[in-house]
Amino acid sequence: MTTMVTTGEVPPGKLPVLITFMEMAKRPETPERPMPEGVHGPVLARRCTLAYYRFLYDTIGEPWLWEIRRRMDQGELARMLADPQVEVHVIHVDGMPAGFVELDWRLLPADGTVAIDYLGLMPWAIGRGLGSWLLDWAVRRVWQRPRVRRLTINTCSFDHPSALPLYQRAGFRRLRQERKFVDDPRRAGVLPLDAAPHIPLAPPMPPAPPAPGGMPQVGGDPPRRPMAFHPMAGRP
């Protein structure tokens, strides 16, 4: 749940966030970046399984409070991954997955828009120049396709501080910014409480007052969810 930021204190269980919406309206004219040494890929994860995607998304996104795909109905997520217009490209270093970029082509037939929905690196792979190269690779892949008119990407104040400057150097321009209050996924049990230590925890939800007759009401932070991911048998 999100609410627009207004003046005053941060509501219990909420975090303030600044979201930046960006676009690139023409193909880049800069030279292609050389592939960093030791990198293999990107490899398209054809018919990407839910378990593999969640491994990538959860491991890469936990330090930056990625939580949308965690909250998403997993059957819906599996169907999205099965759509050939949603591409998950993974890079490897020393035989291990080091990062991925998710390209969404579903709006291309309607208005020429392609979206980079996610781009991120494993924590151990940050600082090796892989992110700028992977972004450059993704941008060039998109503009090779006919009828592309614009490429979009978003970032927010939870992301790595170099993300916004990186996108700007790549040729994206800022369209608009939105300030919101969002549910803290750590308080909601979606992410561990020690995730993203650079972002202070939201104020806790106050306990509910006693019900009439002295019976306690359910209140405060919700119970923790188990963090281990297990594929759901029988789900589409």
Side-chain angles (χ1 to χ4, degrees), residues 18-143:
L18 175 64
I19 304 170
T20 302
F21 299 86
M22 312 184 77
E23 77 165 6
M24 180 185 294
K26 63 178 182 179
R27 68 178 65 246
E29 299 176 356
T30 55
E32 182 177 351
R33 286 180 174 269
M35 177 183 290
E37 185 177 355
V39 174
H40 175 68
V43 176
L44 175 61
R46 299 184 185 276
R47 297 178 293 277
C48 185
T49 66
L50 186 58
Y52 185 51
Y53 181 85
R54 283 292 306 270
F55 161 69
L56 296 171
Y57 182 92
D58 293 1
T59 308
I60 291 172
E62 183 174 305
W64 316 110
L65 296 189
W66 289 9
E67 46 89 23
I68 293 177
R69 300 286 197 246
R70 289 181 182 236
R71 294 181 185 269
M72 187 175 179
D73 176 84
Q74 298 302 282
E76 180 184 350
L77 177 57
R79 288 188 290 273
M80 186 198 78
L81 294 172
D83 190 328
Q85 298 306 308
V86 176
E87 297 180 347
V88 177
H89 298 269
V90 186
I91 60 172
H92 295 76
V93 175
D94 296 330
M96 298 181 294
F100 82 103
V101 59
E102 182 179 327
L103 301 178
D104 190 340
W105 303 87
R106 290 176 292 182
L107 289 178
L108 178 61
D111 62 5
T113 297
V114 182
I116 298 178
D117 285 341
Y118 288 97
L119 185 148
L121 301 175
M122 292 289 181
W124 59 265
I126 294 174
R128 302 186 180 194
L130 302 180
S132 56
W133 169 77
L134 182 57
L135 175 64
D136 182 71
W137 178 90
V139 166
R140 293 176 191 279
R141 176 177 176 82
V142 168
W143 285 104

Side-chain angles (χ1 to χ4, degrees), residues 116-195:
I116 298 178
D117 285 341
Y118 288 97
L119 185 148
L121 301 175
M122 292 289 181
W124 59 265
I126 294 174
R128 302 186 180 194
L130 302 180
S132 56
W133 169 77
L134 182 57
L135 175 64
D136 182 71
W137 178 90
V139 166
R140 293 176 191 279
R141 176 177 176 82
V142 168
W143 285 104
Q144 288 174 356
R145 183 79 67 90
R147 300 192 305 277
V148 173
R149 297 180 58 190
R150 61 194 292 262
L151 173 61
T152 64
I153 196 168
N154 303 336
T155 185
C156 75
S157 51
F158 297 157
D159 287 337
H160 194 286
S162 66
L164 180 57
L166 172 64
Y167 300 157
Q168 291 173 322
R169 290 194 302 271
F172 287 91
R173 68 180 185 90
R174 187 169 63 186
L175 291 175
R176 69 184 191 280
Q177 291 183 310
E178 291 184 7
R179 295 183 182 273
K180 294 182 178 182
F181 288 129
V182 297
D183 292 333
D184 188 333
R186 299 164 296 185
R187 289 291 187 192
V190 177
L191 284 163
L193 284 173
D194 60 356

